[in-house]
């Protein structure tokens, strides 16, 4: 059976709530391998909610639909403050990437309290800014950034990640609206452990199944290399 855009593979999926240090409740979902413990955890930080970003943004939805089964990964998705998806609306209001530091901390606290192993931050667009600014936590093993605009994240944030020392993979679409590969390599040169990967033909939103496959495989290659490359088909029922 071919794995298609709409494919949903078996997993244990449960609605969750995160509780922030400033008193808000955020809604989310945790997807786990169906019959075994995960080997690592993806904490997904979604694109800009004022422009439609949410926990169900398509790359993250497909990660939750596939990676527990294909790569033994836990996938934790949630709506940052004031953000709405099918799962519901998280309390609070958009905080311009500043108040969201409490949201990132709440997700990491959830992972730690529930003994989710080897936490990696996966940031997309606005979510990359949250990872770079607020992801310096001992629990974090590394981060993968998708389409970083580097609008809110400054050189000081890049320097802080350099000092943090954790691995950083940066996936940059060839035709990104905000930061393209050549300029991204210049900006991320401040982070010695950063690897910038340009993706030919891709755009900021990673629309199209070929680009989703590239993103998911690049994530798995860093987080659980034993499961890479991801299969494009699985045995039928």
């Amino acid at each position: 059976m071919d794995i298609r855009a709409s494919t949903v593979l078996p997993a244990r999926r449960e609605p969750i709530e995160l509780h922030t240090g400033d008193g808000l409740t955020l809604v989310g979902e945790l997807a786990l391998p169906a019959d075994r413990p995960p080997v690592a955890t993806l904490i997904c930080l979604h694109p800009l909610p004022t422009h439609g970003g949410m926990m169900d943004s398509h790359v993250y939805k497909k990660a939750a639909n596939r990676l527990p089964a294909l790569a033994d990964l836990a996938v934790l998705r949630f709506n940052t403050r004031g953000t709405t998806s099918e799962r519901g609306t998280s309390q609070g209001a958009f905080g311009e990437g500043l108040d969201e530091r409490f949201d990132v901390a709440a997700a990491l606290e959830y992972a730690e309290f529930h003994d989710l192993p080897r936490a990696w931050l996966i940031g997309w667009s606005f979510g990359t800014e949250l990872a770079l600014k607020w992801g310096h936590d001992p629990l974090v093993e590394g981060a993968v950034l998708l389409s970083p605009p580097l609008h809110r994240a400054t050189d000081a944030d890049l320097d802080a990640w350099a000092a943090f020392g954790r691995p950083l993979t940066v996936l940059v679409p060839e035709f990104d609206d905000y930061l393209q590969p050549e300029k991204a390599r210049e900006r991320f040169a401040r982070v010695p452990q950063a690897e910038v990967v340009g993706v030919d033909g891709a755009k900021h939103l990673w629309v199209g199944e070929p680009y989703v496959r590239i993103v998911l495989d690049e994530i798995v290659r860093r987080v659980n290399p034993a499961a890479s490359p991801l299969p494009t088909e699985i045995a039928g029922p």
Side-chain angles (χ1 to χ4, degrees), residues 118-172:
R118 301 185 50 235
W120 280 71
L121 297 176
I122 312 297
W124 180 6
S125 194
F126 172 69
T128 69
E129 318 272 33
L130 301 186
L132 288 169
K133 294 177 77 68
W134 313 121
H136 313 149
D137 186 287
L139 193 70
V140 172
E141 287 206 358
V144 179
L145 308 183
L146 317 177
S147 308
L150 292 184
H151 287 165
R152 294 172 175 83
T154 64
D155 285 348
D157 296 313
L158 296 176
D159 292 344
W161 193 279
F164 183 45
R166 301 297 198 273
L168 188 67
T169 298
V170 187
L171 303 184
V172 184

Side-chain angles (χ1 to χ4, degrees), residues 31-134:
L32 297 162
D35 55 5
R36 55 196 179 276
V39 301
T41 304
L42 307 181
I43 296 176
C44 300
L45 305 174
H46 61 66
L48 193 65
T50 55
H51 287 67
M54 58 176 172
M55 63 179 274
D56 286 340
S57 292
H58 75 104
V59 172
Y60 289 161
K61 183 75 169 178
K62 291 168 185 174
N65 286 345
R66 302 179 198 178
L67 296 186
L70 297 180
D72 292 337
L73 298 179
V75 180
L76 192 163
R77 298 176 296 132
F78 68 99
N79 288 330
T80 57
R81 58 190 56 216
T83 301
T84 299
S85 71
E86 269 189 29
R87 170 72 180 89
T89 301
S90 290
Q91 292 179 345
F94 177 61
E96 297 290 345
L98 299 175
D99 294 340
E100 283 81 2
R101 67 186 183 275
F102 296 112
D103 304 355
V104 176
L108 290 169
E109 288 167 5
Y110 183 97
E112 183 173 28
F113 183 80
H114 290 85
D115 295 321
L116 297 175
R118 301 185 50 235
W120 280 71
L121 297 176
I122 312 297
W124 180 6
S125 194
F126 172 69
T128 69
E129 318 272 33
L130 301 186
L132 288 169
K133 294 177 77 68
W134 313 121

